[in-house]
């Protein structure tokens, strides 16, 4: 680009050069303006008009702008669209004589670093993640596997480190993945976290294309940093400095160099973006959430190291298939588990619930502690509803606290904080009632409730924060201005000097007001006015027409078109007093306000603990309410007792329901049909489920997983009774799920997902396979499905539910011990098929498809012909069956009855034609013709 002509555009280019990757919002008066490509991008996202600024060397400059006071909303949209936004402010007030005001970027907002209430989702975390991997790792893995001696020492070097932070809540954690499955496990973790932004080292070779592709699916922006930022040594230094500790031992990071590296890169990046300019512009017209985070990152006061295996693992595919937090197709958000069971009252509770869904527990003690609390809250209706009502008035303490420590909390934020804290004493009393009532009347079923229970420890963690409430109550006025820089923030009576100054200005203004009346009389000018403005202070204004009446002691100050402005000795004297007092009022208020804010910030740890306790209480109350209103029961866990006997736990669900579909049906006045399920590790670990389309197979599969997940979250479950094993993972794979949007063959996706199960499932996993194999030709699909069942059987033997349309698979019941058939039942009533939705033992009626065709009114000769075709295929199939399972035949298994599945592509097309025929529109002649064509295809 050629040199810009105007000083303003020169300034713009200089600033833009420093922030090439961000959309630059350039403050011009009351607007933020964007230019060039930035303007084109922003106008598209924001749907605002693209205009052009005066030509630069003959070229019109594209431009668009947003008013500063509404900027937050616009910026939020830019950030959600995955852009970074640099806020460039005017650093001095424009005044006469100044050629051009100084402008600086005060803050760069990125999808992962935004914190303002308007910028992030209330019910979701806003994660910024960093992924680190040592430069040697990519090449060293092969060598590492062969070597023996130094393998241990190298373990952490070869690991992949992940760290993530939610700036709006202060959560900061890190972990590491080792071994050959490290990348897959990293993907799982990122799939759960759904970070808004991910930091990676610049050399793209460390993270091959797959990584980038994976991020695509996540919708996260990728930010590349120089590789030295990810050096473990640098990271250790920057973290020690940040946390003001001599060593990172206390955080569990020692020995985890890559987790440390990732965490260090995060802090490095946050320092660069959040707290960019040390200065705030003089101009107070900058909305608070866009101000630089002055106090910096002090609220990130700790980091914790964790291991993925500390929770039940749900990979991204499973999370999507089970529709845990997002619908898998369409955008009916009400179809998710989260929506179906979210009865929380606060944003903190909603976020925690989401976290629990995505990371169910595996520690039995923790699960039982939660279940005890839910049982207690469920039984005590009155107390529970009182707690719930109290929770409703509590705002997002977690995020308010972060705003305080970030230094961006407004006076109104502090009032909101106090209003929420005011409810804690009542909350504590209610919680105390809830657990004390039990300890006095112990019931046999709930052994651990009472003192020492989860409710009592939450009671202890709830801090009434009387000191903070008192500080706000004494210090902040009832109806303060929106911005801390404006007068009127501090309450009267808080500071004697401030009160005195207020009196002075009030008196001074009264005197000036009475002067106006007096001067009107003295001069005889009825329209004489005494007014004030920012630039010229107080003045006496006389219109041009009355100018000749102006007294000689008036001093001329300013000339307007229709009037003249004056001052007088007396006015000057009072002006001096008023203005200097007002100036001091502002200065004192600012000082007092930051003192108050800082004193609260010092209590951030207590506030955060209290917020966490409230969040947990909120979720437990939500569980209890749902359990009470929807008739959920407490699950029992089987593993503990059985483990001693060396057996694997039983999974037994009596009268189980699908929590989401049940709720959706109920809203339409329909009833869900409950079903039973029995699985154990030995005699019945794999169920093959057959039955017609729409019979309820997929629903049955999913409800088993959802019930297990709910139970391990510590919730009651939709069933009459549930005995469950502790699961380490749930896998869900759906055949031919429509993944074309991601540009990979659906079948390839399906198979790579199945491969992951065969490679990772353990005996403690639950595997759901829904129509696996459907994504390819019938024969291929059946063969693969068959082989997968055999592999699960000879391998880890995870508890498995396999819904299939391949009736041939049901043969496996006879071949493999532990494999059993079940089916969803239907009833024929006249020409109607009624789906009973009941799951029953045995495989489905195999001629079912033709029956449906008959019921649907397909001409009898077509039906007859179809039966004949079917018989032919049975013969060829019989041969196949003998090859696959010679033992079964030799053992005298009953001869295979009629079945409908066909094997060659041509047969498939015939069946498709029959299926696709619109019988209502077919004339008898057309039906004959159709039949003739079909016959020809077969011969
Ligand atoms: P399939 O997988 O056998 O084709 P689905 O599990 O998708 O069948 O079920 C089809 C529809 O039937 C579901 O959308 C649901 O509305 C309904 N349904 C399934 N199971 C039940 C049940 N147990 N009670 C009531 N309705 C059910
Ligand atoms: Mg299905």
């Amino acid at each position: 680009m050629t040199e810009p002509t105007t000083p303003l555009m020169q300034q713009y280019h200089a600033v833009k050069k420093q922030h090439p990757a961000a959309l630059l919002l350039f403050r011009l008066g009351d607007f933020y303006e964007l230019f060039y490509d930035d303007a084109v991008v922003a106008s598209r996202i924001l749907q605002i008009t693209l205009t052009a600024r005066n030509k630069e060397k003959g070229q019109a400059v594209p431009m668009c702008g947003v008013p500063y006071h509404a900027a937050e909303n616009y910026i939020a949209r830019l950030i959600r669209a995955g852009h970074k936004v640099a806020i460039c402010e005017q650093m001095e007030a424009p005044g006469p004589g100044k050629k051009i005001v100084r402008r600086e970027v005060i803050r760069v907002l990125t999808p992962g670093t935004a914190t303002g209430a308007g910028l992030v989702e209330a019910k979701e975390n806003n994660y910024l993640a960093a992924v680190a991997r040592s430069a040697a790792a990519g090449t060293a893995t092969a060598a590492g596997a062969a070597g023996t001696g130094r393998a241990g020492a190298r373990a952490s070097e070869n690991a992949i480190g992940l760290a993530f932070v939610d700036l709006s809540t202060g959560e900061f954690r890190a972990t590491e993945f080792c071994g050959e499955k490290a990348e897959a496990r990293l993907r799982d973790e990122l799939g759960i976290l759904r970070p808004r932004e991910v930091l990676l080292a610049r050399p793209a070779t460390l993270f091959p294309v797959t990584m980038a592709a994976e991020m695509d699916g996540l919708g996260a922006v990728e930010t590349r940093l120089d590789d030295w930022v990810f050096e473990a040594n640098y990271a250790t230094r920057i973290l020690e400095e940040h946390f003001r500790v001599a060593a990172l031992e206390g955080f569990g990071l020692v020995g985890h160099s890559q987790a440390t590296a990732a965490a260090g890169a995060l802090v490095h990046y946050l320092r660069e973006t959040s707290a960019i300019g040390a200065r705030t512009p003089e101009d107070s017209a900058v909305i608070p959430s866009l101000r630089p985070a002055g106090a910096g990152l002090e609220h990130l006061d700790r980091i914790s190291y964790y291991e993925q295996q500390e929770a039940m693992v749900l990979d991204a595919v499973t999370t999507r298939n089970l529709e845990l937090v997002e619908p898998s197709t369409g955008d009916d958000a009400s179809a998710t588990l989260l929506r179906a069971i979210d009865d929380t009252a606060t944003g903190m509770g909603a976020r925690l619930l989401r976290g629990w869904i995505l990371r169910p527990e595996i520690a039995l003690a923790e699960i039982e502690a939660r279940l005890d609390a839910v049982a207690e809250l469920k039984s005590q209706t009155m107390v529970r509803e009182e707690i719930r009502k109290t929770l409703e008035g509590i705002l997002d303490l977690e995020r308010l606290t972060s705003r305080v420590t970030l230094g961006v909390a407004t006076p109104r934020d502090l009032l909101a904080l106090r209003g929420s804290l005011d409810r804690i004493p009542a909350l504590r009393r209610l919680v105390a009632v809830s657990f004390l009532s039990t300890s006095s009347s112990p019931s046999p079923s709930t052994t651990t409730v009472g003192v020492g229970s989860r409710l009592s420890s939450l009671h202890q963690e709830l801090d009434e924060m009387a000191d903070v409430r008192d500080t706000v109550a004494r210090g902040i006025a009832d109806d303060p201005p929106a911005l801390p820089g404006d007068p009127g923030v501090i309450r009267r009576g808080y500071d004697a000097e401030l009160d005195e100054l207020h009196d002075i200005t009030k008196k001074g203004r009264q005197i000036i007001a009475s002067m106006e009346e007096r001067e009107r009389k003295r001069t005889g000018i009825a329209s004489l006015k005494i007014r004030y403005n920012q630039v010229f202070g107080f003045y006496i204004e006389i219109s041009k027409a009355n100018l000749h009446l102006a007294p000689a002691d008036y001093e001329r100050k300013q000339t307007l078109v229709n009037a003249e402005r004056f001052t007088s000795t007396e006015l000057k004297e009072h002006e001096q007093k008023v203005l200097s007092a007002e100036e001091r009022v502002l200065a004192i208020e600012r000082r007092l306000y930051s003192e108050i804010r800082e004193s609260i910030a010092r209590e951030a740890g207590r506030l955060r603990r209290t917020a966490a306790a409230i969040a947990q209480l909120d979720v437990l109350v939500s569980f209890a309410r749902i359990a009470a209103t929807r008739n959920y029961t407490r699950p029992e866990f089987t593993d503990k007792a059985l483990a001693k006997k060396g057996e694997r736990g039983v999974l037994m669900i009596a009268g189980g329901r699908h929590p989401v579909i049940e709720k959706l049906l109920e809203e339409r006045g329909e009833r869900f049909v409950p079903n039973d399920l029995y699985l154990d590790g030995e005699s019945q670990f794999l169920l093959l489920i057959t039955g017609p389309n729409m019979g309820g197979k997929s629903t049955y599969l999913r409800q088993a997983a959802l019930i297990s997940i709910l139970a391990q979250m510590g919730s009651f479950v939709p069933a009459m009774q549930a005995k469950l094993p502790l699961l380490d993972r749930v896998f869900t794979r759906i055949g031919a799920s429509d993944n074309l949007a991601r540009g990979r063959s659906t079948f390839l996706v399906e198979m790579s997902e199945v491969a992951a199960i065969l490679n990772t499932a353990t005996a403690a996993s639950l595997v759901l396979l829904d129509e696996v194999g459907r994504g390819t030709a019938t024969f291929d699909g059946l063969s693969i499905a068959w082989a997968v069942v055999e592999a699960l059987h000879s391998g880890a033997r995870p508890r498995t539910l396999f819904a299939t349309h391949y009736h041939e698979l049901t043969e496996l019941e006879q071949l493999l011990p532990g494999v059993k058939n079940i089916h969803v039942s239907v009833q024929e009533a006249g020409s109607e098929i009624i789906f009973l939705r009941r799951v029953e033992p045995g495989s489905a009626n195999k001629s079912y498809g033709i029956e449906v065709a008959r019921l649907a009114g397909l001409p009898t000769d077509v039906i007859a012909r179809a039966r004949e075709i079917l018989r032919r295929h049975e013969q060829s199939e019989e041969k196949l069956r003998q090859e696959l399972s010679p033992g079964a035949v030799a053992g005298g298994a009953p001869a295979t009855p009629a079945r409908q599945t066909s094997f060659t592509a041509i047969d498939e097309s015939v069946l498709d034609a029959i299926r696709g025929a619109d019988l209502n529109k077919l004339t008898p002649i057309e039906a004959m013709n159709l039949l003739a064509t079909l016959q020809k295809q077969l011969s």
Side-chain angles (χ1 to χ4, degrees):
M1 185 161 309
T2 46
E3 267 299 290
T5 45
T6 63
L8 187 74
M9 286 318 277
Q10 278 164 7
Q11 188 184 43
Y12 173 85
H13 282 284
V15 176
K16 178 70 195 175
K17 214 192 268 169
Q18 290 166 14
H19 299 278
L23 298 175
L24 183 62
L25 264 63
F26 195 70
R27 182 74 176 259
L28 283 179
D30 283 345
F31 280 81
Y32 289 109
E33 303 285 2
L34 296 103
F35 300 106
Y36 299 100
D37 286 350
D38 288 1
V40 177
V41 171
S43 70
R44 183 166 37 77
I45 296 171
L46 302 175
Q47 297 287 304
I48 54 176
T49 324
L50 189 64
T51 56
R53 192 180 164 84
N54 23 337
K55 294 182 175 170
E56 278 284 325
K57 303 254 160 88
Q59 289 254 297
V61 176
M63 144 176 166
C64 65
V66 297
Y68 86 91
H69 55 83
E72 194 169 28
N73 173 25
Y74 288 109
I75 292 169
R77 279 153 67 191
L78 294 175
I79 289 173
R80 286 210 195 104
H83 290 281
K84 298 176 187 173
V85 176
I87 312 287
C88 178
E89 284 298 338
Q90 299 176 169
M91 302 305 285
E92 52 194 2
K98 276 183 197 154
K99 279 199 296 293
I100 183 161
V101 302
R102 202 156 48 78
R103 289 188 175 79
E104 275 176 26
V105 168
I106 58 161
R107 179 126 194 237
V108 178
L109 292 150
T110 72
T113 59
T115 45
L119 299 179
V120 297
E121 300 277 349
K123 294 188 165 195
E124 283 175 36
N125 278 107
N126 200 78
Y127 289 125
L128 167 70
V131 178
R133 179 182 230 179
S134 77
T139 51
T141 21
T148 42
R150 291 190 53 243
R154 272 210 300 261
S156 184
E157 271 171 50
N158 289 343
I160 303 179
L162 168 70
F164 58 90
V165 64
D166 182 342
L167 263 195
S168 64
T169 65
E171 180 183 357
F172 189 6
R173 308 209 290 156
T175 186
E176 230 165 54
F177 308 99
C178 309
E180 45 178 327
K181 287 176 192 142
E183 277 194 35
R185 290 174 50 212
L186 169 68
R187 270 198 294 279
D188 287 346
E189 200 66 5
L190 287 174
I192 296 294
L193 288 171
R194 299 301 213 105
R196 299 281 191 274
E197 184 175 0
V198 181
L199 310 180
L200 294 169
R202 195 158 341 256
T205 48
L206 272 191
F207 289 100
V209 239
T210 52
M211 184 75 200
E214 217 48 55
M215 308 271 232
D216 261 4
L218 291 175
V221 235
E222 191 179 300
T223 299
R224 295 273 178 181
L225 305 178
D226 288 341
D227 54 351
W228 62 263
V229 174
F230 290 84
E231 285 282 329
N233 288 341
Y234 172 70
T236 307
R237 245 189 308 121
I238 197 171
L239 290 173
E240 284 171 357
E241 188 185 307
H242 174 81
F243 293 118
R244 298 197 193 92
V245 293
L248 298 175
E249 245 132 22
F251 303 116
L253 282 174
V254 171
H256 298 292
S257 64
Q258 293 311 308
T260 307
L266 276 184
V267 171
H268 169 92
Y269 182 66
L270 288 174
R271 284 189 177 177
E272 274 201 338
T273 51
S274 306
I276 213 164
R279 290 167 42 85
T280 322
E282 285 160 23
D283 186 354
S284 69
V286 176
I287 45 181
S289 60
L290 301 185
R291 286 165 179 272
L297 308 162
E298 261 146 38
H299 74 305
L300 301 181
D301 55 6
R302 80 218 122 124
I303 177 169
S304 53
Y305 184 84
Y306 74 104
E307 294 278 357
Q308 192 179 38
Q309 290 88 339
E310 286 164 8
M312 182 201 274
V313 180
L314 298 166
D315 54 79
V317 180
T318 299
T319 309
R320 193 166 55 237
N321 286 342
L322 290 176
E323 310 199 291
L324 295 182
V325 295
E326 274 166 20
S328 66
T329 51
D331 40 22
D332 181 12
S334 65
T336 63
L337 180 66
L338 177 60
R339 191 59 88 75
I341 63 156
D342 182 0
D343 194 15
T344 56
T346 69
M348 304 172 277
R351 285 196 299 274
L352 184 66
L353 176 65
R354 193 185 160 92
W356 280 8
I357 287 184
L358 295 172
R359 265 178 220 286
E361 271 297 321
I362 48 166
L364 192 60
E366 172 65 22
I367 297 173
E368 294 290 353
R370 291 181 194 172
L371 287 171
D372 283 343
V374 175
E376 202 48 41
L377 292 165
K378 181 180 176 227
S379 68
Q380 300 196 42
T381 314
M382 298 273 283
V383 180
R384 180 184 76 227
E385 293 309 307
E386 285 296 317
I387 293 179
R388 160 71 189 207
K389 251 188 244 137
T390 314
L391 286 169
E392 274 165 16
I394 296 180
L395 298 175
D396 203 327
L397 282 181
E398 235 169 27
R399 285 189 171 160
L400 282 172
T401 304
S402 289
R403 292 173 65 73
V404 170
T405 51
L406 280 166
V408 296
T410 64
R412 288 175 190 173
D413 285 337
L414 296 194
L415 287 190
L417 181 72
R418 179 193 153 202
S420 299
L421 294 177
D422 278 345
R423 293 179 165 250
I424 294 179
L427 197 60
R428 286 194 84 216
R429 274 196 301 278
L430 288 164
V431 174
V433 172
S434 78
F435 73 84
L436 287 176
S437 70
T438 333
S439 59
S440 57
S441 61
S443 78
S445 64
T446 53
T447 45
T448 57
V449 179
V451 180
S453 71
R454 175 56 47 90
L455 288 173
S456 88
S457 62
L458 289 178
H459 176 261
Q460 266 170 23
E461 277 155 41
L462 284 175
D463 191 322
E464 299 195 2
M465 308 293 312
D467 48 340
V468 170
R469 283 189 284 141
D470 181 62
T471 307
V472 179
R474 280 188 305 115
I476 306 294
D478 282 334
D479 190 14
L483 299 177
D486 292 345
V489 170
I490 302 297
R491 178 188 291 278
R492 240 190 128 76
Y494 184 71
D495 184 88
E497 189 188 1
L498 186 65
D499 289 351
E500 200 181 309
L501 288 167
H502 271 308
D503 290 342
I504 293 174
T505 60
K506 201 164 152 208
K507 222 179 338 32
R509 284 190 179 260
Q510 274 165 2
I511 292 172
I512 292 172
S514 64
M515 264 174 71
E516 187 178 79
E517 211 31 58
R518 211 182 59 214
E519 291 300 298
R520 278 182 191 168
K521 284 212 186 92
R522 181 164 81 97
T523 58
I525 307 171
S527 63
L528 177 145
K529 286 188 285 206
I530 299 186
R531 290 286 182 274
Y532 170 82
N533 84 19
Q534 288 264 330
V535 182
F536 294 99
F538 285 96
Y539 54 83
I540 305 166
E541 187 171 298
I542 298 175
S543 64
K544 282 269 154 76
N546 290 318
L547 218 48
H548 60 284
L549 296 172
D553 57 331
Y554 278 12
E555 236 176 83
R556 198 169 298 241
K557 213 172 176 182
Q558 190 195 8
T559 305
L560 305 179
V561 184
N562 295 320
E564 201 79 3
R565 287 174 177 175
F566 299 90
T567 184
S568 70
T569 326
E570 190 191 5
L571 184 60
K572 272 198 277 190
E573 186 185 309
H574 289 293
E575 174 181 37
Q576 176 62 28
K577 270 190 203 154
V578 169
L579 291 187
S580 73
E582 277 178 356
E583 218 165 85
R584 280 174 61 206
V585 162
L586 274 186
I588 292 175
E589 285 212 340
R590 277 206 193 113
R591 173 174 57 77
L592 293 174
Y593 184 71
S594 6
E595 279 171 17
I596 291 175
R597 205 166 51 191
E598 278 157 26
S599 82
I600 300 174
R602 279 194 293 278
E603 306 308 324
R606 285 163 65 209
L607 280 166
R608 208 134 359 93
R609 259 195 307 285
T610 299
I614 291 173
Q616 187 164 153
L617 188 63
D618 192 10
V619 175
L620 294 172
V621 168
S622 168
F623 283 168
R625 279 166 66 99
I626 301 241
T629 53
R630 294 193 211 151
N631 201 14
Y632 283 18
T633 49
R634 178 174 183 152
E636 297 163 53
F637 287 89
T638 55
D639 265 16
K640 268 283 156 67
L642 285 167
K644 287 188 202 116
K645 288 192 266 166
E647 282 175 45
R648 286 173 51 200
V650 164
L651 193 160
M652 190 281 289
I653 296 171
R657 286 118 54 200
H658 188 297
V660 184
I661 294 181
E662 178 184 41
K663 181 157 180 281
L664 296 178
L665 286 182
E666 197 182 85
E667 280 159 16
R668 283 188 277 145
E670 292 168 42
R671 278 183 57 97
F672 189 88
V673 181
N675 272 304
D676 303 339
L677 170 65
Y678 179 88
L679 283 172
D680 59 30
E682 312 297 328
S683 63
Q684 182 162 327
F685 82 94
L686 191 151
L687 292 176
L688 290 166
I689 303 149
T690 44
N693 230 350
M694 286 298 285
K697 299 183 295 298
S698 303
T699 307
Y700 182 69
L701 256 56
R702 284 174 175 74
Q703 90 192 23
L706 295 179
I707 286 173
S708 294
I709 289 171
L710 280 172
Q712 287 186 232
M713 289 165 65
S715 166
F716 280 25
V717 298
M720 284 187 5
Q721 195 194 357
K723 284 192 176 163
L724 305 169
L726 272 180
L727 301 176
D728 66 349
R729 281 189 83 136
V730 172
F731 293 93
T732 311
R733 293 302 183 268
I734 299 184
S737 58
D738 200 5
N739 233 333
L740 282 174
R742 282 166 71 194
R744 290 159 81 188
S745 137
T746 57
F747 185 64
L748 184 67
V749 172
E750 185 187 326
M751 285 302 112
S752 59
E753 289 174 5
V754 171
I757 296 183
L758 295 179
N759 291 330
T760 19
T762 74
S765 307
L766 175 67
V767 175
L768 308 182
L769 298 171
D770 196 349
E771 313 266 8
V772 160
R774 193 170 58 182
T776 182
T778 312
F779 192 74
D780 280 7
L782 169 60
S783 314
I784 289 170
W786 187 291
V788 166
V789 173
E790 284 183 346
L792 288 169
H793 186 270
S794 63
R797 295 167 72 90
R799 294 170 192 79
T800 305
L801 297 177
F802 196 148
T804 183
H805 62 297
Y806 296 126
H807 288 278
E808 292 74 10
L809 279 190
T810 59
E811 306 267 319
L812 284 163
E813 180 178 71
Q814 257 120 68
L815 301 172
L816 304 174
V819 175
K820 290 279 172 335
N821 291 327
I822 55 174
H823 70 282
V824 286
S825 58
V826 288
Q827 193 181 42
E828 294 164 24
S831 63
E832 294 246 304
I833 303 159
I834 300 172
F835 293 109
L836 298 178
R837 316 280 190 217
R838 263 206 302 275
V839 176
E840 291 170 0
S843 60
N845 177 357
K846 291 176 182 181
S847 61
Y848 194 80
I850 293 181
E851 282 315 304
V852 174
R854 189 181 60 77
L855 289 170
L858 207 68
T860 29
D861 40 359
V862 177
I863 296 288
R865 177 62 183 149
R867 287 218 164 100
E868 192 187 321
I869 297 165
L870 180 62
R871 252 189 309 280
R872 267 209 235 158
H873 283 286
E874 277 157 16
Q875 283 152 15
S876 59
E877 220 183 297
E878 179 64 16
K879 266 193 273 158
L880 169 79
R881 200 180 71 84
Q882 287 176 16
E883 280 167 36
L884 285 173
S885 51
V889 175
T896 344
R899 72 176 70 89
Q900 69 187 60
T901 313
S902 50
F903 274 121
T904 61
I906 188 159
D907 294 349
E908 193 65 50
S909 75
V910 169
L911 289 180
D912 278 344
I914 297 176
R915 281 190 203 107
D918 186 350
L919 299 169
N920 291 328
K921 292 214 185 104
L922 233 51
T923 65
I925 302 282
E926 282 166 344
M928 280 300 289
N929 287 340
L930 174 66
L931 201 52
T933 335
L934 294 179
Q935 217 164 25
K936 213 183 290 159
Q937 279 187 42
L938 290 168
S939 54

